[in-house]
Amino acid sequence: MMISAAWASTAQPRIAHMWAENRYRQFWKFLAVGTLIPVVGSFVWSLLVFMNWDFLRRLLYHGNYANTADLILLWGGNVILGSILSGGSCALLATRRFRTLAYTDILSACATCVAMAGVILFLPYPFVIAGTMVGQAMQVIALAMVFYGMFRATSRAHPASATP
């Protein structure tokens, strides 16, 4: 998540300029790479922690938490989704789609609340992370739909900007 936050902080002015200057192809490429790097990093980190959980729990937690390896995967999924959302939020802010971002945030919050109620009723309390993941996944889907529309509009509106 720290890599995502750092990228978003430094990339937002840059992609805002790309968008304002109708350099859409460059905008989409930069956004894709900037989002993909933290996602891959989060995936690799989560996988390494999961695969070495027995060693880590003995080293750091005096052998406790033996049955929590599944939670490591859930936290990893949460961070991966958060990385995607960080890039998506950065793009919406750079393109001045503040209301769209607010709507996707509200949708995510509602989905999280519903999912949390289900988790609280049917799963042990450590799995509340799954409830947050449902909300994040809903927001990723909503952002994907928004970006699909934006991508189609930019490729139709400015075909010259779609070529190098």
Side-chain angles (χ1 to χ4, degrees), residues 35-108:
T35 302
L36 188 61
I37 289 171
V39 167
V40 170
S42 298
F43 178 77
V44 169
W45 177 258
S46 300
L47 191 61
L48 288 173
V49 171
F50 178 75
M51 291 172 43
N52 295 293
W53 182 241
D54 282 336
F55 170 74
L56 291 170
R57 71 180 183 80
R58 284 193 307 272
L59 178 70
L60 301 172
Y61 302 109
H62 308 291
N64 294 321
Y65 310 113
N67 299 326
T68 57
D70 293 342
L71 292 176
I72 301 300
L73 290 177
L74 290 174
W75 276 110
N78 185 317
V79 173
I80 289 168
L81 289 169
S83 296
I84 295 167
L85 293 174
S86 181
S89 296
C90 177
L92 289 181
L93 291 172
T95 59
R96 304 180 54 82
R97 285 174 166 74
F98 309 116
R99 191 171 290 162
T100 302
L101 179 58
Y103 289 146
T104 65
D105 287 341
I106 292 167
L107 177 66
S108 174

